Amino acid sequence: MTWTLALPELVLAIAGLVILVAGVLPKQETFFPVSMACIGSLLLAAVLVLGQPEGTALGGHYVADDFSGFMKLLAIGGAAIGILLSLDYNTKEGLGRFEFPLLMLLATIGMMVMISANDLLSLYLGLELLSLPLYVIAAFNRDSARSAEAGLKYFVLGALASGLLLYGSSLVYGFAGTTNFDRLADAFSADSGVTAGVVVGIVFVIAGLAFKVSAVPFHMWTPDVYEGAPTPVTAFFAAAPKVAAIALLARVLVGPFGDLAGQWQQVITLVSLGSMTLGGFAAIGQRNIKRLMAYSSIGHVGYALMGLAVANDVGLRGLLVYMAIYVAMNLGTFAVLIAMRRKGRAVEQVEDLAGLGRTDLGTAVWMAVFMFSMAGIPPLAGFFGKLYVFLAAVQAGFWTLAVVGVLTSVVSAYYYLRIVKVMFFDAPAGALDPAPASLTVVMAASGLFTLFFVLWPAPLLAAAQAAAAALLG
Amino acid sequence: MIAALAFYLFAAILIASAVMVVTARNPVHSVLFLILAFFNAAALFLIAGAEFLAMILVIVYVGAVAVLFLFVVMMLDIDFARLREGFQRYAPIGAIIGGILFLELLLVLSGWSFADQADDLRLSPNPGASVTNAAALGRILYTDYVYLFQLAGLILLVAMIGAIVLTHRERAGTKRQDIAVQVARSGSVVLEEVPVGAGIKALGIRRPPEPEAEPPKVTHDAHHGGHH
Amino acid sequence: MDGFLSTPIGILAITIAQTLALLVPVLIAVAYLTLAERKVLAAMQLRKGPNVVGPFGLLQPFADALKMLMKETIVPSGANRFLFILAPMLLFMLAMLAWAVIPVNDGWAIADINVGVLYLFAISSLGVYGIIIAGWASNSKYAFLGALRSAAQMVSYEVSMGFVIVTVLLCVGSLNLSEVVRAQQNVWFFIPLFPMFVIFFISILAETNRAPFDLPEGESELVAGFFVEYSSMTFALFFLGEYANMILMSALTTILFLGGWLPPVAVEPFTWIPGPIWFALKICLCLFVFIWVRATFPRYRYDQLMRLGWKVFLPFSLVWLVITAAVLKLTGWLPA
């Protein structure tokens, strides 16, 4: 038996069950200890991922390689910091129930399953295991109509996306007679070619996954869900699940459908173009900063997918580096947003940040770092993320993508810089409450990463290079 | 011949009842037609030789899921006339979308071909006459597919947690039975022998306990006395 | 003659004959179960019970049936006529349908199918529809409340019943009811699986809506529950359906735990008695306990009922299932 290969998932799942029982038994609320236990088990899983050998296991449904290791570490890190971010917010908003971190933990198992999927079936089950907890935590603030709406909207559209994905998978299965990725790759590399039906199937699969990464034209749920869900949940949504879904998309397209790259490259190119454009322009008019971040995340997915559209090792390396940097700066930004409270009440308008430079210089400086980085101003990390994908696109001759990417970066710089302007040059709207320690730590950590990535980019690049090679090899 | 006849009979009823699920005016009738559809699907499974699936379909979907469905539909006061308000207006758009999808499907299926080794790769649902359905399913479900099986279990667990998180509320002021407390009380509660004819007052039990200072109620007393 | 019997029509004729041979005794048993219940209850309450119609009141069931038939079927205004009439028929029909797979003796089942246990479980879980439909179609709040209670109760107890059945199946290694009985050749399952036997018996009390779990018909608060609006033959069908279900569930208990048609010990005087007689005797024993329980216990409160089902029986049967599986695996008794 080779089940030991899936040790990180197994350990995490068992830890989740143990924590569930331990959390439900005591009479009083166990939010804090359960959160800590969840973070602890995520760290343990991360260590296990680091020590994971390569190979396929469990009837060929599970694969572990450099790519899965890289993406899993990102997803686990995003999830652990997501739980950390929720500690203070949930307690203050009366959402401090132990199921919250537990659902995040279970969603993380789903992400890891997705990332390690080597079969259409494990892909689908991982996706559902990720999605279901997300629907629930989106509606976690059940007394708020907006939160309930966010959960419901996400659920209905998510179910539709799952349906599309399954339909596409069934077409692919009908053609090849198998759902295993390796066998699928064999079937598609045969000379007999593929029929229109399989291409339609692949397009359906891409549509289902594009929904999860909130890429245009399957982005409609994003602003409403990001706005309605409790802010730590939004932070979580914008980080970990996106990594997992992008990883899945990359693995499916490059792995089994690798020989059909000509078919799906145009789809991904279109999706990327659409996402970049929409992310650039639609965010301009937003007053609610969570909505703004929603459009911003759509735009970032567009840039990341540019790397996938190129579909060679440079492009994939760009994609991986982009996702790592995106997760880091996004978590930092959301740490600032979660810290936005005035007189104990959470505020989420752009104007509420007015004059932050004068009332709370530390937070304002970190926020400015993140905004500059997201806009792609050198020498911050965000610049390098964009640099690598643009580079790949230009080298491979995808000029349209590169040009549109640069133009939309300029457009999106407008709204990122507007936030900086509001913070430092507008009249103060009243001081915000001081940020709790857990948030300051996250802000500082991701801020330092964003600032000093330029000095020491080699490890990340090397890891991304190895991961991309594993995926293509 | 009989099997073919049965197949067409069940398939026809299945499709007809599926259509009725969508078109029935009364939501309760819709659910009942859904149940009929499940039944006929189970019958089709039986004809295909998948008796285990057929029974599980009836037990799980008809016996449990549809019951809850019926519950909800009966409890909710759904105004179907209002739900159908836009039907006329949206029908053409729906028809166009449906038509396009249908044409696409035709395109896809007309040019359909299979990969070279597709037939060899497909798993045979029934390994042979000597192994029953349930055993055959169990053999692959707990070996080749154990990973997926456990994942499905985890998904169901998440669904359960989610349902509890989103709906369970601790209401203030509800009285709960604590059986442990009740049982522990048995030593302090004793049966007393009451002399025939004595009221509980004679035993020194006052229920409800006497108020500490009784306000004088002169007029009331007078009235009371005359009442009997 | 042989040729005729193997034609489709011949097979049909044989099946019909078999069905009649099984259902007629069952129906007579249902009729006399109503009398038996009244007699047993009367004895337990130091009364005489029905003793006017025929010797010892033996013709009482027929008198009752005749009376029911003579009355008018009243369909309340506002009721859904079709469903209103359908519900009692459904309930009664299901109670009869289930007998198709019951083996009364070695090889004596109308349909000896591989998934007999699941078939029985499926049929018994459908019974809830008769009740829900009756409650809803009556267009009366008492009936509807009774139906809701009953449906929730039946669905709840099916869960633990399912686990009990799975435990038995683990010890048998087959879903075939005849196999279940044959596996009890050495020891009846109620001995090694005694706690499951108790849970199963209590669950079938709840499943058939019998005392002390007869809340759906709670006379005191719901008048008579889901069949409050029914009269004459439609009412009689509910009544007969309930008793037929009791017999069916007793038969199931007998097969799963009491060794079906097998004699208690396979030695001379016991083996003279044919299997069907043993089967019937065991069913009678179960039915007596049904009535005994009714005479003894007061009715449960609704929250207690739900608590018992979900918080006691479900975890307990789950744990016992795991223990049974572990014991079978460790001792190597697991059937192939």
Side-chain angles (χ1 to χ4, degrees):
Chain A
M1 269 307 262
T2 47
W3 56 270
T4 42
L5 193 64
L7 205 59
E9 282 82 358
L10 281 176
V11 167
L12 208 51
I14 292 169
L17 297 182
V18 171
I19 294 172
L20 176 64
V21 174
V24 84
L25 285 181
K27 290 275 181 218
Q28 72 273 35
E29 185 53 56
T30 48
F31 174 61
F32 187 76
V34 165
S35 297
M36 285 300 135
C38 284
I39 293 178
S41 20
L42 285 175
L43 293 181
L44 177 64
V47 171
L48 290 172
V49 168
L50 278 176
Q52 200 176 21
E54 294 191 4
T56 53
L58 296 164
H61 294 118
Y62 182 93
V63 63
D65 51 21
D66 277 341
F67 177 77
S68 72
F70 184 89
M71 284 310 212
K72 273 184 197 171
L73 286 181
L74 262 189
I76 293 175
I81 295 178
I83 295 177
L84 194 64
L85 289 178
S86 71
L87 278 179
D88 176 70
Y89 183 93
N90 279 23
T91 317
K92 282 184 182 150
E93 295 289 310
L95 304 177
R97 295 196 284 154
F98 78 94
E99 290 96 342
F100 187 86
L102 201 68
L103 285 168
M104 284 187 166
L105 181 93
L106 289 166
T108 314
I109 301 175
M111 292 176 213
M112 294 167 70
V113 170
M114 279 164 75
I115 293 170
S116 273
N118 196 34
D119 193 292
L120 287 173
L121 285 170
S122 47
L123 177 162
Y124 173 68
L125 286 171
L127 195 68
E128 285 300 302
L129 186 53
L130 164 68
S131 306
L132 223 55
L134 295 193
Y135 304 146
V136 176
I137 56 174
F140 208 77
N141 191 2
R142 58 190 186 185
D143 295 320
S144 140
R146 283 197 314 165
S147 179
E149 184 202 330
L152 199 62
K153 211 169 231 174
Y154 195 23
F155 174 63
V156 172
L157 291 175
L160 186 70
S162 295
L164 291 181
L165 182 82
L166 277 182
Y167 185 61
S169 308
S170 73
L171 285 178
V172 171
Y173 173 73
F175 172 77
T178 177
T179 50
N180 186 286
F181 283 177
D182 305 328
R183 303 265 182 79
L184 280 176
D186 290 345
F188 291 129
S189 64
D191 299 328
S192 53
V194 291
T195 56
V198 179
V199 179
V200 171
I202 295 172
V203 170
F204 271 115
V205 171
I206 294 178
L209 294 178
F211 173 87
K212 290 293 165 200
V213 297
S214 69
V216 174
F218 303 99
H219 63 281
M220 291 83 78
W221 58 277
T222 321
D224 292 334
V225 172
Y226 276 35
E227 186 189 352
T231 316
V233 175
T234 314
F236 182 68
F237 278 10
K242 232 160 226 190
V243 170
I246 288 263
L248 190 59
L249 196 56
R251 188 185 285 285
V252 173
L253 292 183
V254 177
F257 303 142
D259 287 305
L260 304 178
Q263 307 282 353
W264 54 258
Q265 259 175 329
Q266 35 186 323
V267 180
I268 296 292
T269 308
L270 275 179
V271 166
S272 168
L273 285 177
S275 306
M276 289 189 290
T277 316
L278 185 101
F281 287 97
I284 292 175
Q286 301 306 326
R287 293 277 163 271
N288 184 302
I289 197 155
K290 278 159 79 183
R291 264 190 112 74
L292 190 147
M293 287 307 292
Y295 284 109
S296 148
S297 85
I298 295 174
H300 283 296
V301 166
Y303 297 118
L305 288 182
M306 196 191 286
L308 185 57
V310 175
N312 58 16
D313 58 336
V314 185
L316 286 175
R317 189 189 64 177
L319 167 83
L320 296 176
V321 172
Y322 198 98
M323 286 321 288
I325 291 171
Y326 165 78
V327 166
M329 61 191 185
N330 220 37
L331 285 172
T333 314
F334 271 101
V336 176
L337 301 194
I338 293 167
M340 280 170 65
R341 282 177 177 280
R342 184 165 287 133
K343 301 195 181 83
R345 283 194 53 234
V347 289
E348 48 192 46
Q349 299 299 316
V350 174
E351 288 84 60
D352 291 314
L353 286 171
L356 191 66
R358 261 162 275 174
T359 53
D360 185 353
L361 184 63
T363 308
V365 166
W366 287 131
M367 186 67 173
V369 167
F370 299 132
M371 289 298 115
F372 280 126
S373 173
M374 289 213 177
I377 310 268
L380 299 172
F383 166 74
F384 289 96
K386 285 200 170 114
L387 180 71
Y388 287 116
V389 287
F390 289 168
L391 207 63
V394 171
Q395 277 175 356
F398 286 76
W399 285 101
T400 330
L401 274 176
V403 170
V404 172
V406 170
L407 289 181
T408 52
S409 313
V410 174
V411 175
S412 60
Y414 165 74
Y415 58 79
Y416 291 129
L417 297 185
R418 184 165 68 94
I419 293 177
V420 177
K421 175 229 156 200
V422 167
M423 284 194 302
F424 286 97
F425 301 105
D426 281 10
L432 293 179
D433 298 350
S438 59
L439 298 181
T440 329
V441 169
V442 176
M443 271 182 238
S446 52
L448 290 174
F449 172 82
T450 316
L451 268 179
F452 296 115
F453 174 73
V454 56
L455 299 180
W456 204 39
L460 184 64
L461 281 181
Q465 184 81 48
L471 195 58
L472 285 167
Chain B
M1 206 267 292
I2 291 180
L5 268 183
F7 172 79
Y8 285 114
L9 178 71
F10 288 127
I13 299 179
L14 173 58
I15 293 172
S17 49
V19 170
M20 289 304 285
V21 173
V22 186
T23 54
R25 288 195 169 274
N26 190 327
V28 174
H29 292 176
S30 282
V31 179
L32 293 175
F33 276 116
L34 184 68
I35 292 162
L36 188 60
F38 281 144
F39 255 111
N40 286 287
L44 290 184
F45 272 134
L46 271 186
I47 292 176
E51 66 239 14
F52 182 77
L53 277 186
M55 290 305 153
I56 290 294
L57 185 73
V58 173
I59 293 173
V60 174
Y61 281 89
V62 181
V65 175
V67 171
L68 299 181
F69 225 63
L70 201 58
F71 252 39
V72 173
V73 171
M74 282 176 174
M75 304 280 272
L76 288 178
D77 193 16
I78 303 174
D79 186 356
F80 257 56
R82 223 166 56 88
L83 276 181
R84 284 164 187 280
E85 230 165 21
F87 187 74
Q88 297 271 320
R89 204 146 43 88
Y90 295 123
I93 305 173
I96 290 171
I97 295 177
I100 292 174
L101 272 180
F102 185 68
L103 280 180
E104 283 178 346
L105 272 183
L106 276 188
L107 275 178
V108 164
L109 294 179
S110 60
W112 188 266
S113 71
F114 292 105
D116 297 337
Q117 339 85 336
D119 280 341
D120 312 330
L121 289 172
R122 274 193 194 97
L123 284 172
S124 168
N126 203 339
S130 60
V131 181
T132 64
N133 253 266
L137 264 178
R139 276 186 198 168
I140 60 166
L141 210 54
Y142 293 94
T143 54
D144 298 344
Y145 289 84
V146 67
Y147 181 55
L148 307 176
F149 185 71
Q150 298 291 344
L151 279 178
L154 218 50
I155 292 174
L156 290 179
L157 175 73
V158 169
M160 197 161 81
I161 298 176
I164 294 172
V165 164
L166 292 181
T167 56
H168 181 73
R169 280 168 204 274
E170 291 282 344
R171 282 194 185 74
T174 48
K175 287 184 180 166
R176 277 179 186 279
Q177 186 179 19
D178 193 339
I179 289 182
V181 170
Q182 284 182 355
V183 173
R185 205 177 57 173
S186 61
S188 61
V189 180
V190 285
L191 291 176
E192 280 194 36
E193 205 175 328
V194 181
V196 178
I200 50 171
K201 222 166 187 175
L203 295 170
I205 301 170
R206 282 172 185 280
R207 201 178 285 159
E210 248 176 304
E212 282 180 8
E214 252 183 281
K217 285 187 283 188
V218 184
T219 49
H220 187 80
D221 271 0
H223 184 73
H224 194 76
H227 204 69
H228 294 277
Chain C
M1 192 65 198
D2 241 15
F4 169 72
L5 285 181
S6 52
T7 60
I9 299 172
I11 294 171
L12 189 69
I14 295 176
T15 314
I16 290 175
Q18 284 175 329
T19 314
L20 285 179
L22 185 64
L23 286 193
V24 170
V26 168
L27 284 175
I28 293 174
V30 168
Y32 275 95
L33 178 59
T34 61
L35 179 68
E37 172 161 42
R38 290 163 76 178
K39 279 287 191 189
V40 171
L41 279 182
M44 287 182 179
Q45 292 160 357
L46 304 179
R47 297 184 282 116
K48 273 210 158 89
N51 61 351
V52 177
V53 192
F56 311 107
L58 277 178
L59 294 179
Q60 184 70 39
F62 297 100
D64 289 342
L66 209 60
K67 186 188 84 175
M68 291 293 190
L69 278 170
M70 307 290 277
K71 302 263 176 180
E72 183 192 354
T73 301
I74 299 165
V75 180
S77 60
N80 187 321
R81 205 182 166 82
F82 175 72
L83 291 180
F84 187 81
I85 305 286
L86 176 76
M89 289 163 65
L90 189 69
L91 204 69
F92 186 71
M93 213 173 66
L94 287 172
M96 296 290 115
L97 263 181
W99 282 91
V101 295
I102 299 278
V104 280
N105 198 356
D106 206 350
W108 283 26
I110 297 175
D112 196 16
I113 59 174
N114 277 337
V115 286
V117 176
L118 291 182
Y119 174 84
L120 267 188
F121 197 57
I123 294 287
S124 80
S125 68
L126 291 182
V128 68
Y129 281 107
I131 290 169
I132 283 199
I133 292 174
W136 183 76
S138 302
N139 196 22
S140 144
K141 51 174 159 297
Y142 295 116
F144 189 52
L145 279 174
L148 283 186
R149 278 185 176 191
S150 157
Q153 172 178 339
M154 289 171 87
V155 171
S156 306
Y157 277 84
E158 250 158 41
V159 181
S160 48
M161 257 177 82
F163 279 120
V164 174
I165 292 180
V166 171
T167 316
V168 172
L169 295 182
L170 264 183
C171 304
V172 179
S174 167
L175 295 168
N176 182 308
L177 286 170
S178 304
E179 289 297 324
V180 172
V181 175
R182 281 186 210 115
Q184 300 179 58
Q185 207 86 50
N186 297 327
V187 56
W188 295 357
F189 282 147
F190 85 96
I191 296 168
L193 299 175
F194 188 71
M196 296 311 251
F197 172 63
V198 173
I199 286 184
F200 188 78
F201 197 83
I202 298 175
S203 296
I204 62 172
L205 288 178
E207 181 79 7
T208 49
N209 292 330
R210 291 287 301 181
F213 307 114
D214 55 344
L215 293 120
E217 39 198 275
E219 301 91 341
S220 41
E221 65 254 62
L222 291 176
V223 198
F226 57 89
F227 52 73
V228 61
E229 301 291 347
Y230 282 86
S231 55
S232 87
M233 224 27 228
T234 50
F235 171 77
L237 281 180
F238 273 123
F239 201 68
L240 295 180
E242 183 182 327
Y243 282 82
N245 256 330
M246 279 167 63
I247 301 183
L248 176 68
M249 286 299 168
S250 304
L252 187 56
T253 315
T254 307
I255 292 170
L256 290 179
F257 290 102
L258 300 178
W261 64 77
L262 298 171
V265 274
V267 291
E268 271 304 296
F270 292 110
T271 46
W272 291 345
I273 303 171
I277 305 280
W278 278 121
F279 192 66
L281 279 178
K282 290 169 187 172
I283 291 180
C284 289
L285 178 72
C286 291
L287 288 172
F288 174 75
V289 180
F290 261 93
I291 300 164
W292 188 11
V293 166
R294 176 174 171 190
T296 313
F297 291 109
R299 185 180 292 146
Y300 258 53
R301 216 171 53 210
Y302 198 68
D303 61 314
Q304 292 172 326
L305 171 85
M306 283 296 165
R307 185 183 171 282
L308 186 70
W310 287 107
K311 288 187 165 175
V312 181
F313 283 0
L314 177 60
F316 189 85
S317 51
L318 202 57
V319 168
W320 199 266
L321 173 63
V322 173
I323 293 177
T324 309
V327 167
L328 287 176
K329 181 78 191 162
L330 292 178
T331 53
W333 291 340
L334 203 61

